[in-house]
Structures are given as structure tokens and as C-alpha cells.
């Protein structure tokens, strides 16, 4: 698959994540009379990843997240030379998704961007529960760490095939159920950059945390998986070597036994 196709897939997937996840928080979470609430928003974020994993997973791997890309590099599952183009496409997709969401939301009478926000991430005064910076940093790092552990485990060669998108989507749902009150849940620098870029102000000032903490957590998760799967990788190498040796064996060893002559 060409790099251009991979980057377009990452752009569209990240746009969908911001539009679907942040859109559910902004437009539907507290809609008059019938709102989807925290549970609905958490599920929406998980569904964006699940649906895109099936839609573009075979094209780009469906990272949609600079922390995931960095974690995959750390785990030895993605080429470092392709990381920066992937991250660039993800960030552009996140910003495009935020602008598209703003274009939709601003059509509501009396819409106030400063008051409504765009489901931006934050700590302190910008935290839904007013959690401080340390709580926000620890939450983002730990949640991203476990997100990478699940992603790498679900996509390993010994995992049941075909179920990875479901496990990953449900993991992201669980992460949001835990951490929305703390930081509004990022675990994804591109998801944080889009709304912060549109909003500016405090969201943009605090954006550094939602790059540093998720990437540190993602890299730690990737390194742990690499260590845990060392034996699995060694077994795979042993099987490949044995197969190669069998193919290059002496012709006499591969030749069929001659038929027994009748007496």
C-alpha cells in the first residue's frame, strides 16, 4: 500500500474520531430532555475507533493517534521512518475534524464557543472535575500505557484473529469512563490538538500535557509489550529457521523412499 493512501486513511480516521467523539460530547451529551451523558460519550469514542479499524485497518493499520504510532515504534511493530508522516496526517485530521464540528455546532442559535467549548482537554480550571496537573498527567500516561498494552496484545500473532477492533474500541470506551472527569480524556495528542487549535486560550496553553503524557505512556506500553513478547518472537524465528532448513535440506533427504522390490 502506498504511503499517500495510508496518510489519507489516517487523516480521515482521525477526523472521524474527533467528529464522532468530541461531537457526541458537544452536541448530544446534555441535549435537552434526552442526553447521552458520560456513558454515551465514552461509547461514542470507542465506536469511532472500532468502526475505523474495520474500515481502514487494512490500509494504514488505523493508528489515529500519535501516541499509538510512537508506541508501535517502541514495540518494534512499526517503522520509525514512517512515524512523522503518520503523526502529521493524524494532527491535520484532528484539526479538520474540530473545524468541521465547529461549523456544525455554530449553526445553533445562541451558540457560544467560549462557553460550550469543543470537548477540549484540560486540567485545573479546565478539568471537568477540577483535577490538578499531577492528576491529569498521571491519568493520561497510565491510560495510554494500558491502551497500548491492549492494542499490541489484541493484534499479536497469537491473539484470536478478527476481534482486535472490538477489544480496542471497548478499551477506549473504558478509558473514557474512567478519565472523562479528570481531563475530559485525551490519550491522543491529535484528538487534543484539534479542539485546542480552534479554541485557543487555556486549551492551547495546556496542550503540552496532552502530548507529553500520552506519548510517554504509549512508549512505555510498547516497550513492555516488546519485553513480554520476546519469547513469542524467538519461537516465531525458530519456526521460520526450521522451515527454511527443511526447504534447503539435501535432495536425498527430501526424496521419497524407493518402492520395495518384490522377491
Amino acid at each position: 500500500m502506498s504511503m499517500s493512501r495510508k496518510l489519507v486513511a489516517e487523516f480521515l480516521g482521525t477526523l472521524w474520531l474527533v467528529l464522532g467523539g468530541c461531537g457526541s460530547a458537544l452536541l448530544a451529551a446534555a441535549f435537552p430532555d434526552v442526553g447521552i451523558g458520560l456513558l454515551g460519550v465514552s461509547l461514542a469514542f470507542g465506536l469511532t475507533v472500532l468502526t475505523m479499524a474495520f474500515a481502514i485497518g487494512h490500509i494504514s493499520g488505523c493508528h489515529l493517534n500519535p501516541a499509538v504510532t510512537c508506541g508501535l515504534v517502541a514495540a518494534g511493530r512499526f517503522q520509525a521512518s514512517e512515524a512523522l508522516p503518520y503523526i502529521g496526517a493524524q494532527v491535520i485530521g484532528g484539526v479538520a475534524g474540530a473545524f468541521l464540528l465547529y461549523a456544525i455546532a455554530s449553526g445553533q442559535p445562541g451558540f457560544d464557543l467560549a462557553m460550550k467549548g469543543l470537548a477540549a482537554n484540560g486540567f485545573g480550571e479546565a478539568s471537568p472535575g477540577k483535577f490538578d496537573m499531577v492528576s491529569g498527567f498521571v491519568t493520561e500516561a497510565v491510560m495510554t500505557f494500558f491502551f497500548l498494552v491492549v492494542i499490541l496484545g489484541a493484534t499479536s500473532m497469537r491473539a484470536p484473529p478478527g476481534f482486535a477492533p472490538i477489544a480496542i474500541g471497548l478499551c477506549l470506551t473504558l478509558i473514557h469512563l474512567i478519565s472523562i472527569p479528570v481531563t475530559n480524556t485525551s490519550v491522543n495528542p491529535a484528538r487534543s490538538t484539534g479542539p485546542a487549535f480552534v479554541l485557543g486560550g487555556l486549551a492551547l496553553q495546556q496542550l503540552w500535557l496532552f502530548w507529553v503524557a500520552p506519548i510517554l505512556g504509549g512508549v512505555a506500553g510498547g516497550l513492555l509489550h516488546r519485553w513480554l513478547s520476546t519469547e513469542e518472537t524467538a519461537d516465531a524465528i525458530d519456526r521460520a529457521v526450521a522451515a527454511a532448513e527443511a526447504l534447503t535440506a539435501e535432495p536425498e533427504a527430501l526424496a521419497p523412499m524407493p518402492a520395495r522390490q518384490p522377491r
Side-chain angles (χ1 to χ4, degrees):
M1 191 68 66
S2 69
M3 177 58 78
S4 61
R5 288 179 171 82
K6 293 177 181 178
L7 297 182
V8 169
E10 287 295 303
F11 166 83
L12 291 174
T14 313
L15 185 156
W16 180 239
L17 185 147
V18 171
L19 182 61
C22 296
S24 69
L26 178 62
L27 303 174
F31 189 75
D33 300 325
V34 182
I36 62 174
L38 187 150
L39 178 59
V41 173
S42 300
L43 186 59
F45 271 100
L47 288 174
T48 61
V49 172
L50 188 154
T51 52
M52 275 297 140
F54 282 114
I56 66 169
H58 60 287
I59 299 172
S60 68
C62 191
H63 298 189
L64 316 185
N65 183 340
V68 170
T69 299
C70 292
L72 291 172
V73 171
R77 298 266 291 270
F78 190 69
Q79 295 182 11
S81 60
E82 296 185 359
L84 283 179
Y86 261 57
I87 291 171
Q90 293 156 4
V91 171
I92 295 171
V95 172
F99 272 111
L100 183 56
L101 178 58
Y102 172 67
I104 294 170
S106 60
Q108 184 181 35
F111 177 79
D112 185 343
L113 179 62
M115 182 178 296
K116 290 280 191 178
L118 286 173
N121 302 114
F123 55 86
E125 288 301 311
S127 161
K130 309 305 178 187
F131 287 84
D132 64 15
M133 183 183 70
V134 174
S135 294
F137 195 99
V138 172
T139 298
E140 289 294 325
V142 170
M143 294 298 139
T144 314
F145 169 84
F146 280 104
F147 193 32
L148 263 293
V149 169
V150 171
I151 289 171
L152 291 163
T155 56
S156 70
M157 64 181 71
R158 292 187 179 181
F163 291 97
I166 299 172
I168 295 167
L170 289 176
C171 180
L172 189 60
T173 298
L174 175 59
I175 286 170
H176 278 77
L177 288 172
I178 297 168
S179 58
I180 283 178
V182 184
T183 60
N184 229 9
T185 309
S186 171
V187 300
N188 183 339
R191 170 263 186 268
S192 298
T193 300
F197 189 84
V198 177
L199 283 170
L202 187 59
L204 202 56
Q205 294 170 23
Q206 296 185 348
L207 181 60
W208 66 269
L209 185 145
F210 302 102
W211 274 87
V212 176
I215 287 177
L216 286 177
V219 169
L223 292 174
L224 175 68
H225 178 83
R226 192 168 193 162
W227 177 75
L228 290 173
S229 61
T230 299
E231 186 175 345
E232 177 183 3
T233 303
D235 289 345
I237 293 173
D238 289 344
R239 289 194 297 271
V241 170
E245 289 175 346
L247 290 173
T248 57
E250 293 295 329
E252 304 84 47
L254 297 176
M257 294 293 291
R260 185 176 180 180
Q261 297 297 324
R263 294 182 180 179

